[in-house]
Structure formats: structure tokens, C-alpha cells
Amino acid sequence: MNVRSFVQLQDGLTQASMLDTGIYVDRLMLYNKPYTKQGIVHSISHFLYGNNVLHFPVLKQLKFFLVKSHIFPSFFEALRSSFKHVVYFYLLYIVLGCVPRDWLEANLKLDYSISQLESVYNLFDLTFFWYMLISGAFLHHLWHFALFLMKIFITEVYEFPMEAALIERDEACLDKILSTSSPYVKYQAFQDLQDLSEHSKRRRGWIYSLSQPGGHPHRWNRVCSQCLELLDSLTNRLLAHHNQLTNGKLQQKYSATEQISTLSSNGSTIGKTLTASSQLTAQSPGSPVLYSPSRPQGNFEVTENYGNDSVFSSSYVSGQYPNYGGQLRRRPIHTGEFPNPEETPRMIGRRGALDRLKQFRLVKYLLEPLPDSASRDLFQDCQLHIWAVEALSALVISSLQEDTYGVVQQTLPAILMSMMSLSNAIEKHLKFLSMSKDGRQRSDLLALSSSGSVARLRGGLQGSLKTALHGTIATFGHHLSNITLPPDYSKQLSHLMEYKE
Amino acid sequence: MCSLQESLPPPALGIVTVAEQNGDLITRPEDEATTLIGNSLQGINLPIIEASTDTLASLAIDESAQSAFLPNKGDIPLWKRAWYSCNENGVSGMLEEMAEERSDVPWLVSSMAYGCLTAVRAASTLQGSIYPHMTLSRPELISEYSVVRDWDDSEIRAFAWHPHTNKCAVAWQNDSIKRHCAHLKASIPTWCLLFGLETILCWNLSCWLSVLCPGLASRPASQSTRPSAGSAQVLSHHTNCPITTLAWDPRGRLLTSASPWDTVMMVWNVPRETSYAVGRGGGGGVSLLRWSPDKSRLLAATPSAVFRVWETHSWTCEKWTQLSGRLQAACWSPDSQILLFCSAKEPAIYSLNFNATKVGGATTGGAQAAVKCADLSEVIYEDGDLEGVRIGGLIQDMAWDPTGERLAVLFQKTLEEDHADDVIALFNTRLQPVLELIPCGFIRCEPEEEPQLISFLPKFDKGALLTICFKSGKVKFLPLIFTSVWSLSENRRPPFQALNGSSHHRNLELFSVND
């Protein structure tokens, strides 16, 4: 689509002045080459700078003002980057420009003998430079602006109904939709929950309300259990990961699962790590569930379909791993039977080939996992947890004034415990992460995590947990001491209540 | 509307206000005052703040390493000099360097640079005629827009209470910041700024102390005596504008920062270190930010006679114009329904009502017009000790206590002899059924002391505790002891969100409060 439209565009610009076919072909090529190059550069930078990752904004500004404030910076950025790329293009054009021209000339049996491409005249051709600069900037702006618009529309808050008029539509209500299997809908549902918990008193009232015949707080129970389940699953994943690392089991598991791990062509290492962790769950059925909440296993096809669309799959399905030069797709963690027996022999063969390849240092470097890839993988879908924590805390805080039937207070201990345990688990994880690496790896880690969006999300989760706990304490004050909690947690709570630093 | 004439006359010079007891201001001669204040504060654990300049003064060196070297302009090529001055002083610096008439600068280059420089200067003069604050230098700008009355000479540059405990942070003139805890005798040196100039402090709900320096830093307060890089989080945004105001939202999630030179204010998500630009054109910049206590609205004043109130759901704003001058000070009522503000050119307090039910959607629910609720123009006393003394005038800052029953007003500095500008006016306020300000009296401090900053302790069981910072670095705590209206009626909902006032529920058990 790109090439065609630009040809058309340039057509309009140049056709009037181009009479000779030869000149036309030359010009056509001349103006098309920057676009090809621009296209390549754009697709590489798209993945390299994480443009494929979708970030949900913290502030929900109106679309008009977002777009308005984005247009000018985006255009200047486009000009800047176009100018930067022109330099590389000139080099390419002068050195290799004659190759495609000669090829076209030979194929179309054209005969023309105008100026040579590698001439000084071409180097100082201002019209050419101007065309290239402007059209490059235009292209860059067009692509980025389209992506920007799409992201705005995708991340917009969708308001789910709280109560359905018809029974058939009941499944579309917010409290039911929270447990949906579709990742995008789930993200939207949690975003809406966070939004209503902070800003809409009327919709909060629905959540605190009781069911009409029976008088049960079904809505609150569903919302709360979904959020807590989400938080607990992350806590358990973190603890399981931590246990593996501390007990040195990871190394053993590697050797055990190396034979059977499913490898995608570019995602070997991640697949391996996750296999190791799922193996652990399969062996200890008593341990709490260990699965990625955004990707329940029954809906593999659905998520794969989403996965094809790189834009919004990437924030939760796959991250960016720059050292692989591309995108790794995270495989779902199987909680049930494993491995798949049909694939095993082929996998073993491929595995052996990979092992042989690993003898080369460069290949080994490319195939080794990044130091914190496992950690990043754990926090991949952290945005959901951030929303869950913020929604819970806002609902708890406003329950003091608005919850007429006291439905929230029954679950207050569970909420506090969940938040504290998750906060502790994250702290432990980060401490371990920073201590367990040797110097070289740590510098790698710092470099990656400071720029990585996952590290930011992780920080965001930690911050919102802390804010949520402090907010709850500030609201209920000393009454929280009436709550019965396990001794560890009540001690931690009292520490928090005294604002000890 | 009330005026200062209805108020009781201020105590004579040498008589000091020590406390308030149920609406009456208690005064004593200066020598008795100290012991009486001590008695009235008995049982309240407050930090001891003393101006000591010894501890960090040696660390806070204003000089940079650059000053140790002499500039060498002799045999550096022109392009190199231009490059350095462009890096250091920006494009205009580069132009100045090139416009200098020197032998090694070609005539064409220097005349072109001179032409550009003239054009730039003409443009900035034009801009300055529209927005005069654009022509101020940075120190002037800070001293103009700071809430401190006398920025240049005051020992204390900023003061902030912790929202929950009796703990405060003080920024001193020597660019050191100390935290003072009630249970510790000594202060904890927290930070020392090597860059100087602007300092603003604000505490977050969860113990984050934000400090403003040329970059923007925010740190979790930790026990360490020596600030380490690990305990601080630096937020930086590539802009050339000096930030003069900072505010945490009351739930502690977002930090807003703004500059009088930039119409866009930045809203930070601090743990994620991401910022969002929010703003509308017009007004020249943002000089003051005030969050409403329920987090639903944000006041953003501009250096011109315009201010905006943002609603924080979809971040749209309503604009109020036709003030007599720029908005000088503002404060929200504890229930977030009323905004009190005053302009820099008129001695009056205006109130603006907001309707709670309208919030949500794209409106802030503000009333159509602000109502003048207090006239603070000068009053001349003609009898007794106070003959010929004038009181009142333009307002520097206002503070409303967390129960919403007392309002303290600090006046701007005047250089006139018979003008008592060092008294603080105290108003009794009622929020229900309509806002009412009743002049309560004047607080007179020790002679030779000039009040610079006022603020209220966020949590105080017996009424309100006014904190006054003086020019000499002393800090005075003035207890205002009264029984608040809502606590008299049983089972009544407190008139404000309980976020900051949980101590008032102490005798209730854990159950929800019904509407």
C-alpha cells in the first residue's frame, strides 16, 4: 500500500515536467528509493523503540486536545528524523544507486543517457534534496500519526453497563465481563472499573448495592474476587519464581525440560523459562494456581488471533527483546498436562542443533536469556494489576461514605492482606534481582530496565500498592486495628499506621 | 461581605498573641508569652525547629567547578567558541559570541549574527510588552511568584507539614532541607541542593517528599542522614522554564508542576516516571496550582488576570477572567465545594462555589461568577495605643484549617512606617448553609519578627494549629482551640471527606458512616 500511494503521489508532482520516459523512470526510481529505505527504517524502529507496545494513559484527556497537542511536535519530529535519514540515503544513493537503475534499464529495454547518479551535480541537486526531505517528513508524520490515532482510539475508556435490561445481555455487565477470556476486553473492563471507582459516585453505588431478591452483595463479591484473584496470582507467580531461584532448582529444571521445551524459532529462551515454571506447578498440585491471568488456557485461539495484530497484542502477549532484533511471543503457561508428546522427537532434533550452534560465542550470546527477561516476563501484564489495586483502594476509600450496607468491610482483611503480600513479594523480588547478578549483568540490567516499559510498569505497581495501603490507612485510621489479621500482617500494618520510615 | 472594621482592634506593639480559646484571642506581654505558649501546647508533641546554619553549610557550595578556571578566548577557533556558547547559553548566547567585533570573525558572519540578535531582542521585547513576566530574570521570577513574603531575605524558603504525623520539612536559605520529627530532638538533614535558587516542598500521602530544584526531584523520605542517589528519584523534563509551583494530588498518585513561562503544566506519574502535558493556550503560563481535597478539581492560576479550574476526570477546564490582577493566593474548603481566592491588586477575598453533583462529564460545576466575601482594605485606628496605625491591604497568602472553621490571612509587605503589615488576620468561617466569614481578630507576633509563611497542621484534635515561619528562621506554633461545629451534633457526617481527618472518628467503631 505504501509504495503504491507514494508512487501516485510523486506521479502527480513530477508527471507534468517529465516528458521523456527515460527521465520519468529515473525520477520514479529516484523518488521511490527513499520510500523503500524509509519503510525499512520505520519498520525496524517500530519494534526497536517499542512503538508496538500499547500503553494505556494515566490521564484520560479528551481526544481532541490530545491530537491537537500532538500534531506540531510530531511534525517537527518527522522533519528532524527525515533530515537525519537523508544523510544515510545520500551515501546509499551515490554508491549503490546505479544498480537498480541498470537493472530496470536492462529489463525495460530503455535507452537513456542522462546524468550519472554518482555525479557531483546530483549531489548538489537542491530540488532532489527538497523533495526527499519533505516527502520523507510527510511519510514519517503520516505513519506515526496514524499509529498515534489508533492508539488513542484503542485505549479510550469504554463504559460497560452495570445492569442489563435483558437477561441475555447480562454477560456484558461489568462485574461479569471482568472474568472474560478475551484479553482486550479484560483490559477495557479493568480500565473502566478503575475509572468508575475514582470518578463516578453513581456507578460506585451499583457496586455497593445488594441483589434484589435475596439481598446478597453479588456485584461487590464478583468484582472483589476477580481483583483479588488477579493480585494473588501475581503474588504466587513471584513467590514460585523466587523459590525456584533461591533453591537453585532452576538449573536442574533447565536440564529436565530442555528435552521437551517447545521452541519457537525465535523465542527459545522464554519458552524454556516458562516451561520450567509450569513444570513446577504440575508437580505440586497443592500449590496455588500458576497461570497468566490475561491468557487463560482454554482460549488459545482467541489470543493468537489478537496476537497477529502486533499493536495491541504486544503489551500483554509479548514484550520487546531488542537483542533478538525482533519480537518474542510469550507462550501460554500450561497448567495441565505437559509436554505435548507428538512434538517431542522433532524438538529434540532441533534442540540438538541449537546446542551445537551454541558452541559459537556469538550465537550463544544471541540465544542466552537476557538477565532480567524472566522478571520482565512476570510483570508483562502488570497494567491489569495496577488497575485492580487502584480500583480496590478507591472503592474501599469511598466505601466509608457511600457503602450503606457495609459490604466492603467484610472483605477488608482479605484486600489488605492481598495488597501487603503482593507488595512484599515485589520488594523481595527486586531485592533478589539486584543482589543475584554479578557486575556485568547488573549494568546490563540497569540499562535495560531504565528504558524498559515493563520496569516502569513494575515501578508503577509498587507505587500504587503503597499509595493504596496508605490511602486505606488514612481513611480508616485506628479502626483498622480492630481487624483480625495474621500476626505478620498486623505487625506490618501497625508499622504502616505509625508512619515509620 | 465582611470588612476588617468589624474586627477587634489588634493588640498594641509589644503585646503578643499566644493562643485562641473558643473564639477569643489571648494576648500577653512579650516576656510572659513564651511560658504561656509552652503551657497551652503541653501534651502536644511538636517538632523543635531551630535555625542552625552549621551542619550543611559547608556542603552547600554555590560555586561550580567552572569558576576555578579563567575563560580562554585567545586562540580557539570561532566555530568551537560558537559551539560551546550554544551549548552553554543557547542560541542567543551563540549569536552574541559571533556578533562581537573581533578580528577573527568574518565581517559577513558578524553582521548576520548581529542582525539575528537584533531580531530576537525585538521579538522578546514585543513578548514582554504582552506578558511582562517574561522579561523577569529567574531569581526575580521566583521571588515574584513564591508564596513566601520576602523571598530574598527570608531564612526559611519553604515549609511543609507531613499529612499524617507531626513531622515537617523546612528548606533553609543555605539550600539545605531538613526534616524535623516530633519524637526526635535533632533534625534530620535530608538534602542539600548544589544548584540553589528555587525550592518548594510538598509531602505526599505516602511519605514522599517532593523537592524542587532546577531539575525536579522527588524522594521517599528515608532515615538516612546523608542523602544518597538511591533514595531519590529524579524527574526531569527537557524545558528551559523555571518551575515555581508543585502540588501532589490528595490521593498521592499524581504530581503536578508548572512554570510561569509555560502554558502547559506537567502531570507526573512518579513511580512510572512518565509525564503528561496538560494545558490550554493563553494566560502566559501557570503560576499557582492548588488541588481540591477530594482530588476532583485543580486550580491553575496564570500570571495574567485569568485562572482556570480543571476537572480531573477528562481534564477539561473552565476559565475565569476579568480579575483585577493576577491570582495571588487561593485555598479550597475542606469539602471541596468552595474556592477562596484573592487577586494581587485588590484587597478582597472572593469565593467561588462548586456544585458537587455536577462533577463528571466535561464540566467542573462551577458557579457563573465569584462573590466578594471579604473586604480587606486598609483600616486606620484612631484611639488608644494604636493611633494612626493602618492595617489591611493586599494579601500575600491565605490558609484554611482542615476543619474549615478558621482562615488566616497574611498581608503583603509594605514599606510604610505606620502600616502594621506584620499582623495576621484571623477569620471565623462557616461553610453551612452558605459561606460566611466573620473577622475574629488579629494575631500579633513578637516585635522585630516578620511572618513569612503560614500553614495549618493537617491533624489537630483540639481545633487548629497555625504555624508561622518568621524571617529570622524561627517557627511559631499558635494553638487555636475551639470545638468544631460538626462534632457537637451527634452522628453527623463530617462536612469534609475523611481522607485527612480520620482522627476525628476515633470514638466510632469500624462501620460506614451513613449519608
Side-chain angles (χ1 to χ4, degrees):
Chain A
M1 164 252 175
N2 294 339
V3 174
R4 207 176 37 207
S5 58
F6 308 129
V7 172
Q8 280 166 3
L9 175 87
Q10 283 306 316
D11 229 325
L13 282 175
T14 52
Q15 210 166 22
S17 59
M18 303 299 158
L19 299 172
D20 193 338
T21 330
I23 298 176
Y24 183 66
V25 168
D26 187 32
R27 288 280 148 177
L28 187 72
M29 267 176 43
L30 196 139
Y31 293 129
N32 269 335
K33 256 187 294 179
Y35 309 138
T36 325
K37 195 212 72 200
Q38 186 100 17
I40 295 168
V41 168
H42 176 79
S43 2
I44 293 174
S45 65
H46 180 74
F47 292 104
L48 200 63
Y49 298 120
N51 284 337
N52 56 334
V53 179
L54 190 67
H55 295 287
F56 285 83
V58 175
L59 305 186
K60 276 121 198 149
Q61 293 186 63
L62 293 184
K63 284 187 292 242
F64 173 73
F65 292 105
L66 271 180
V67 174
K68 201 178 97 179
S69 62
H70 186 263
I71 285 179
F72 281 104
S74 162
F75 187 72
F76 286 118
E77 171 62 30
L79 262 183
R80 200 185 59 84
S81 101
S82 170
F83 194 78
K84 211 170 76 182
H85 289 149
V86 158
V87 180
Y88 298 116
F89 174 72
Y90 260 80
L91 273 177
L92 265 178
Y93 175 70
I94 299 295
V95 177
L96 298 172
C98 51
V99 177
R101 199 191 63 167
D102 291 347
W103 180 79
L104 266 185
E105 204 182 314
N107 272 293
L108 299 177
K109 300 205 169 41
L110 296 170
D111 178 33
Y112 70 105
S113 49
I114 6 168
S115 63
Q116 286 299 306
L117 287 178
E118 54 273 11
S119 65
V120 179
Y121 168 74
N122 261 330
L123 196 63
F124 290 100
D125 188 357
L126 273 183
T127 338
F128 174 54
F129 175 76
W130 175 245
Y131 273 145
M132 216 164 54
L133 191 69
I134 281 299
S135 52
F138 177 72
L139 270 188
H140 186 279
H141 182 68
L142 197 71
W143 282 331
H144 280 259
F145 198 63
L147 189 66
F148 175 74
L149 283 185
M150 184 181 158
K151 282 186 176 178
I152 285 185
F153 276 87
I154 286 177
T155 54
E156 203 184 2
V157 182
Y158 176 80
E159 200 171 296
F160 288 90
M162 299 302 289
E163 196 179 42
L166 299 168
I167 294 212
E168 299 88 68
R169 302 290 314 267
D170 200 34
E171 289 300 310
C173 291
L174 181 65
D175 49 336
K176 303 248 171 75
I177 212 100
L178 284 177
S179 54
T180 183
S181 53
S182 158
Y184 177 62
V185 179
K186 191 164 188 153
Y187 266 70
Q188 280 291 2
F190 272 95
Q191 194 183 13
D192 187 33
L193 182 69
Q194 194 264 346
D195 190 60
L196 83 90
S197 68
E198 261 187 36
H199 293 112
S200 171
K201 189 178 175 182
R202 183 179 57 83
R203 295 180 78 207
R204 276 199 299 265
W206 281 107
I207 290 188
Y208 299 133
S209 68
L210 301 181
S211 66
Q212 198 41 39
H216 297 287
H218 285 312
R219 282 208 189 89
W220 165 251
N221 284 347
R222 269 193 291 264
V223 167
C224 180
S225 64
Q226 274 301 320
C227 293
L228 290 184
E229 201 177 297
L230 201 64
L231 299 189
D232 290 343
S233 75
L234 181 62
T235 316
N236 290 330
R237 269 192 287 164
L238 283 173
L239 290 181
H241 179 76
H242 187 75
N243 283 341
Q244 274 179 27
L245 289 176
T246 44
N247 300 342
K249 279 182 185 169
L250 195 62
Q251 305 305 322
Q252 297 165 18
K253 291 289 166 196
Y254 266 167
S255 53
T257 52
E258 263 173 9
Q259 306 296 320
I260 47 171
S261 58
T262 49
L263 297 172
S264 57
S265 58
N266 58 350
S268 60
T269 48
I270 298 305
K272 203 166 63 184
T273 325
L274 291 181
T275 324
S277 61
S278 47
Q279 184 86 353
L280 184 82
T281 339
Q283 282 175 353
S284 51
S287 70
V289 274
L290 179 64
Y291 65 89
S292 159
S294 68
R295 307 201 59 186
Q297 58 176 88
N299 289 275
F300 194 41
E301 291 83 3
V302 178
T303 50
E304 280 302 304
N305 284 343
Y306 277 106
N308 288 339
D309 191 334
S310 71
V311 175
F312 59 68
S313 73
S314 41
S315 66
Y316 48 84
V317 178
S318 54
Q320 27 149 179
Y321 297 90
N323 275 20
Y324 294 94
Q327 200 184 357
L328 284 187
R329 182 146 299 156
R330 174 175 160 186
R331 302 194 63 85
I333 306 174
H334 297 263
T335 47
E337 61 273 32
F338 197 84
N340 191 352
E342 291 164 22
E343 284 187 333
T344 317
R346 205 171 44 139
M347 283 303 153
I348 292 172
R350 208 184 278 180
R351 180 87 225 143
L354 271 173
D355 278 343
R356 275 194 297 282
L357 273 176
K358 271 194 182 177
Q359 287 167 354
F360 300 101
R361 189 168 279 182
L362 179 70
V363 180
K364 192 183 172 191
Y365 176 75
L366 289 175
L367 290 178
E368 280 288 299
L370 293 176
D372 65 338
S373 61
S375 157
R376 275 196 287 174
D377 206 62
L378 284 169
F379 288 99
Q380 202 74 254
D381 51 1
C382 212
Q383 179 68 65
L384 277 180
H385 301 85
I386 294 176
W387 281 329
V389 168
E390 289 181 352
L392 273 184
S393 84
L395 285 171
V396 163
I397 286 170
S398 47
S399 77
L400 184 75
Q401 304 282 332
E402 295 168 18
D403 179 13
T404 338
Y405 305 107
V407 294
V408 173
Q409 275 156 30
Q410 297 170 358
T411 41
L412 201 52
I415 292 171
L416 283 174
M417 259 171 65
S418 225
M419 286 183 181
M420 278 191 278
S421 55
L422 181 56
S423 165
N424 293 346
I426 293 177
E427 218 155 271
K428 212 175 182 183
H429 177 82
L430 289 182
K431 212 176 271 177
F432 190 79
L433 204 68
S434 60
M435 279 166 63
S436 63
K437 314 288 176 192
D438 60 284
R440 184 187 61 83
Q441 274 176 324
R442 197 181 300 158
S443 63
D444 269 5
L445 173 92
L446 284 177
L448 281 171
S449 23
S450 60
S451 63
S453 57
V454 178
R456 285 212 189 120
L457 277 181
R458 190 172 58 197
L461 178 59
Q462 218 181 355
S464 39
L465 275 170
K466 200 175 174 194
T467 315
L469 283 172
H470 277 288
T472 316
I473 289 166
T475 313
F476 289 97
H478 292 274
H479 307 302
L480 283 183
S481 48
N482 293 344
I483 289 178
T484 43
L485 285 172
D488 288 357
Y489 292 113
S490 63
K491 197 176 166 193
Q492 193 185 349
L493 192 67
S494 64
H495 267 281
L496 282 171
M497 278 160 73
E498 287 161 15
Y499 298 99
K500 288 216 172 128
E501 292 165 357
Chain B
M1 191 178 72
C2 66
S3 74
L4 286 182
Q5 269 167 346
E6 300 161 26
S7 169
L8 293 170
L13 207 68
I15 308 281
V16 177
T17 313
V18 286
E20 189 217 286
Q21 193 86 45
N22 291 326
D24 302 324
L25 289 171
I26 301 167
T27 52
R28 286 285 179 279
E30 195 189 348
D31 42 346
E32 294 173 31
T34 328
T35 49
L36 201 77
I37 289 183
N39 289 342
S40 62
L41 286 173
Q42 215 151 39
I44 308 163
N45 209 356
L46 289 170
I48 302 156
I49 302 166
E50 278 165 0
S52 58
T53 49
D54 50 353
T55 45
L56 276 167
S58 57
L59 286 173
I61 307 159
D62 286 344
E63 285 179 295
S64 62
Q66 203 183 13
S67 59
F69 300 92
L70 285 174
N72 175 15
K73 288 190 176 177
D75 41 1
I76 306 171
L78 173 71
W79 65 269
K80 218 177 215 177
R81 262 191 290 140
W83 174 252
Y84 286 142
S85 53
C86 181
N87 280 347
E88 242 169 58
N89 308 322
V91 179
S92 60
M94 185 181 73
L95 290 176
E96 268 172 36
E97 181 75 42
M98 294 201 315
E100 264 181 53
E101 287 199 18
R102 287 164 61 99
S103 56
D104 59 335
V105 184
W107 171 81
L108 190 67
V109 172
S110 77
S111 59
M112 269 173 69
Y114 188 76
C116 289
L117 200 62
T118 320
V120 166
R121 279 180 186 155
S124 68
T125 320
L126 191 68
Q127 197 186 23
S129 65
I130 300 169
Y131 294 121
H133 68 277
M134 292 288 199
T135 52
L136 296 176
S137 70
R138 283 180 181 226
E140 284 168 351
L141 193 81
I142 292 154
S143 112
E144 171 81 24
Y145 292 105
S146 162
V147 287
V148 186
R149 199 164 80 143
D150 192 358
W151 169 269
D152 300 318
D153 300 330
S154 174
E155 276 293 324
I156 294 180
R157 287 272 166 95
F159 182 90
W161 278 107
H162 189 278
H164 306 297
T165 49
N166 294 351
K167 201 189 279 181
C168 60
V170 183
W172 299 94
Q173 201 186 19
N174 64 355
D175 296 334
S176 66
I177 292 169
K178 288 179 195 162
R179 281 178 301 137
H180 300 263
C181 300
H183 57 276
L184 292 173
K185 289 283 174 239
S187 65
I188 309 166
T190 301
W191 196 276
C192 117
L193 301 172
L194 294 177
F195 307 103
L197 284 179
E198 59 260 59
T199 317
I200 298 168
L201 296 171
C202 48
W203 285 90
N204 175 359
L205 190 68
S206 38
C207 306
W208 285 70
L209 173 68
S210 301
V211 175
L212 184 81
C213 49
L216 183 66
S218 161
R219 68 185 294 271
S222 70
Q223 200 74 45
S224 66
T225 47
R226 185 168 295 185
S228 68
S231 61
Q233 194 175 356
V234 178
L235 306 171
S236 57
H237 176 63
H238 51 86
T239 171
N240 201 24
C241 309
I243 291 168
T244 61
T245 176
L246 266 190
W248 276 100
D249 85 306
R251 293 224 172 136
R253 263 182 215 145
L254 304 170
L255 176 70
T256 43
S257 66
S259 154
W261 284 356
D262 196 357
T263 52
V264 169
M265 58 184 179
M266 303 304 293
V267 182
W268 296 86
N269 185 320
V270 176
R272 278 201 223 177
E273 294 179 25
T274 45
S275 64
Y276 301 87
V278 177
R280 300 278 185 273
V286 178
S287 57
L288 186 78
L289 292 170
R290 290 278 183 270
W291 281 89
S292 73
D294 66 352
K295 203 207 156 191
S296 61
R297 297 181 195 94
L298 171 68
L299 167 87
T302 64
S304 53
V306 172
F307 71 95
R308 293 186 175 85
V309 178
W310 294 83
E311 56 87 25
T312 56
H313 182 210
S314 54
W315 289 90
T316 51
C317 65
E318 280 175 12
K319 186 168 148 184
W320 273 268
T321 52
Q322 295 176 354
L323 268 75
S324 51
R326 75 176 172 92
L327 192 133
Q328 169 73 33
C331 48
W332 287 92
S333 69
D335 60 357
S336 307
Q337 311 278 306
I338 297 164
L339 173 71
L340 290 188
F341 64 89
C342 58
S343 90
K345 287 183 179 165
E346 192 187 354
I349 301 176
Y350 287 88
S351 79
L352 191 56
N353 279 290
F354 287 88
N355 191 344
T357 54
K358 271 189 187 169
V359 171
T363 164
T364 56
Q368 289 300 312
V371 182
K372 193 174 182 178
C373 59
D375 179 16
L376 279 88
S377 46
E378 278 180 13
V379 178
I380 304 172
Y381 290 92
E382 284 172 356
D383 53 336
D385 302 334
L386 294 163
E387 195 165 348
V389 169
R390 292 184 294 153
I391 279 184
L394 299 176
I395 298 165
Q396 173 68 34
D397 197 13
M398 298 190 288
W400 210 339
D401 88 313
T403 59
E405 301 207 14
R406 293 289 182 276
L407 178 79
V409 176
L410 180 69
F411 294 106
Q412 271 183 21
K413 193 176 177 177
T414 51
L415 296 170
E416 294 154 30
E417 272 293 307
D418 55 347
H419 198 122
D421 57 358
D422 56 344
V423 296
I424 293 168
L426 192 69
F427 289 87
N428 203 333
T429 55
R430 263 182 226 153
L431 300 174
Q432 299 290 343
V434 283
L435 176 76
E436 211 177 333
L437 297 187
I438 304 149
C440 197
F442 294 97
I443 296 168
R444 171 132 11 217
C445 307
E446 286 81 0
E448 309 100 41
E449 297 282 15
E450 267 187 48
Q452 296 289 328
L453 276 168
I454 48 172
S455 70
F456 279 100
L457 180 69
K459 275 185 177 180
F460 189 67
D461 292 342
K462 298 174 184 171
L465 186 85
L466 181 66
T467 317
I468 307 165
C469 301
F470 295 111
K471 194 174 177 179
S472 62
K474 269 190 197 164
V475 176
K476 179 179 177 177
F477 301 110
L478 194 81
L480 312 176
I481 292 159
F482 56 89
T483 320
S484 56
V485 173
W486 64 267
S487 67
L488 289 175
S489 54
E490 212 176 326
N491 279 342
R492 214 185 126 190
R493 191 167 66 94
F496 53 89
Q497 294 285 322
L499 191 67
N500 292 326
S502 59
S503 61
H504 302 293
H505 299 281
R506 192 157 288 168
N507 47 2
L508 304 173
E509 282 309 308
L510 183 59
F511 61 85
S512 61
V513 184
N514 208 338
D515 259 321

